[in-house]
Amino acid sequence: MKKSVKRGVISDYLPWILIAVAVLVIVLLAVFVIKGKGISIIERIKSLFGG
């Protein structure tokens, strides 16, 4: 009975875990691209919000 409860919890949270991992990968790739271009991450964030 406990196995089915654990499987239910995992299946409920699995899409959110996958989305979180995908977002983390995208953010890390963006950081490496920005560093590769020589642009400061803080400057980039300021330009996004500051216009």
Side-chain angles (χ1 to χ4, degrees), residues 13-32:
Y13 288 111
L14 186 61
W16 295 108
I17 293 169
L18 291 175
I19 291 169
V21 169
V23 169
L24 182 63
V25 168
I26 291 169
V27 168
L28 289 175
L29 286 174
V31 167
F32 286 126

Side-chain angles (χ1 to χ4, degrees), residues 1-17:
M1 188 167 181
K2 287 185 178 182
K3 287 184 180 180
S4 63
V5 171
K6 286 183 180 180
R7 187 174 296 154
V9 171
I10 291 171
S11 65
D12 285 344
Y13 288 111
L14 186 61
W16 295 108
I17 293 169

